[in-house]
Amino acid sequence: MLRIYHVTGTRGTRVIWLCEELGVEYQVEKIDFSPAYRRSPEWRALNPVGKVPVMSDANGTLFESGAMVQYLLDRNTPNTLQPDRSAADYGLYLQWFWFAEATLARPLGEIVNHGRAFPDEQKIVPVVEEMAARAVDCLQAVADHVQGKRFILGDTFTAADIMLGYSIMLAEMLIPDQIPQNLLPYWQNLQSRPALQIARAA
Ligand SMILES: N[C@@H](CCC(=O)N[C@@H](CS)C(=O)NCC(=O)O)C(=O)O
């Protein structure tokens, strides 16, 4: 059985969303998100850097959400959630898939980390503002690319939308007033998917 170790609202949302879209069976194991538990030997045995999510199956354990998504895509073929490797838009698909976590989620993660590490009076406001500005640049790049399209590759929903969708969800939580207006139709379109609604509630 596929197990997804998860905390509501965190990156395991991507993995649950994908399983729902693909019809893959899974079990959610809710974990204690306290720093103390995430530092415990029990949790570090599953995720050596103390983060979530973790996914396990008969083959072993993974602790990087994009790798989990890619693994599930490759192990559950045929599926329609990634273009064929020979397709013209395969490179574009890879770009947005990776961009979601490597470039867009990075400054957002720094805002979260800064908030956790420094209490209000120690917060360095220009640092947070700089990270927000970097995230907005990324959101704008997504918004510009999806203008006039339903999904990042056009009419076809792919796992790149799942990767991006979670990062946009994170941006909405952290910098709600700075989401570019022309990103909203795409984001609303993603939010209308039942699979995302199930994943957000999990
Ligand atoms: N690149 C990793 C990032 C994992 C990550 O940062 N997870 C967050 C929750 S969504 C976390 O556990 N944060 C706690 C911390 O960094 O202390 C992934 O995509 O799995």
Side-chain angles (χ1 to χ4, degrees), residues 1-6 15 25-29 54-57 60 62 68:
M1 171 58 93
L2 185 72
R3 285 192 160 70
I4 301 166
Y5 297 80
H6 178 56
V15 187
E25 280 188 37
Y26 62 94
Q27 188 168 316
V28 172
E29 306 284 349
V54 163
M55 186 182 90
S56 70
D57 71 0
L62 297 177
M68 296 171 204

Side-chain angles (χ1 to χ4, degrees), residues 32-109:
D32 172 1
F33 198 50
S34 66
Y37 179 68
R38 289 186 292 107
R39 269 196 301 271
S40 69
E42 179 182 280
W43 185 246
R44 293 279 165 144
L46 290 176
N47 187 326
V49 290
K51 292 175 182 277
V52 294
V54 163
M55 186 182 90
S56 70
D57 71 0
N59 295 314
T61 299
L62 297 177
F63 55 80
E64 186 67 34
S65 67
M68 296 171 204
V69 168
Q70 189 61 55
Y71 174 82
L72 291 172
L73 288 168
D74 292 343
R75 291 295 165 111
N76 291 280
T77 51
N79 70 65
T80 54
L81 296 186
Q82 61 181 347
D84 192 85
R85 285 179 186 191
S86 61
D89 56 2
Y90 183 65
L92 213 52
Y93 164 79
L94 289 178
Q95 171 188 275
W96 291 115
F97 185 107
W98 282 74
F99 177 87
E101 181 63 20
T103 308
L104 166 54
R106 185 174 166 203
L108 295 170

Side-chain angles (χ1 to χ4, degrees), residues 104-126:
L104 166 54
R106 185 174 166 203
L108 295 170
E110 293 309 324
I111 294 174
V112 176
N113 294 337
H114 194 83
R116 283 211 188 101
F118 303 106
D120 276 348
E121 64 277 11
Q122 289 176 16
K123 196 170 277 176
I124 306 167
V125 174

